Amino acid sequence: MAKEKGRKLIAQNKKARHDYHILDTYEAGLVLTGTEVKSLRQGRASLADGFVQLDGNEAWLHNVHVPEYSQGTWTNHSARRKRKLLLHRVEIDKLEAKSQETGHTIVPLALYFKDGRAKVEIALARGKKEYDKRQTLREKQDRRETERAISAVRRKQRA
């Protein structure tokens, strides 16, 4: 069987980018059981309520929903168990120091396979206030309107 190449996205946490200012991102490996890997290969997972907690010298991913494997037997995993993240010691120390600051948290952004191995992209983030969310939405709408106006002018020039 040929080894997979590239990146295959499984799940993305779009709400995290809406609710938080992303300060720094990291790629971490995941410690998974066999049925979890098979369930992920079917493209089934949810990062909606997920967060990362640093416990001692280890990082743990909590509340990420990986549904039970449909053909699994009594060895099936529980859907919302905590999963260990594989990070370098320097990265864990940086995350621990920065997450101690008020208002900072660590959230998962994406879950994917990279060259056949399950990875999760985590981010050090600071919560947005309501007016920050409105400002971001307004900027996005303004950008979209300017792109539409520019493309309309270009279409008229070609015609």
Side-chain angles (χ1 to χ4, degrees), residues 7 17 26 41 44 49 64 67 70 104 106-107 122 129:
R7 182 175 159 157
R17 294 192 187 273
Y26 298 89
R41 290 211 184 275
R44 302 167 59 205
D49 299 327
V64 170
S70 57
H104 288 81
I106 307 166
V107 293
I122 60 173
K129 304 282 189 228

Side-chain angles (χ1 to χ4, degrees), residues 51-104:
F51 65 95
V52 175
Q53 189 172 34
L54 300 171
D55 182 27
N57 295 325
E58 297 177 337
W60 295 90
L61 185 63
H62 292 267
N63 279 356
V64 170
H65 186 263
V66 177
E68 290 185 354
Y69 183 56
S70 57
Q71 280 90 36
T73 59
W74 58 273
T75 59
N76 231 335
H77 64 280
S78 64
R80 288 202 182 266
R81 75 175 188 91
K82 69 178 189 175
R83 294 163 180 91
K84 187 175 180 180
L85 294 178
L86 303 173
L87 289 163
H88 291 283
R89 168 73 46 228
V90 176
E91 293 174 329
I92 292 174
D93 292 342
K94 273 186 200 175
L95 283 170
E96 192 161 18
K98 290 183 179 180
S99 67
Q100 296 298 326
E101 296 176 25
T102 306
H104 288 81

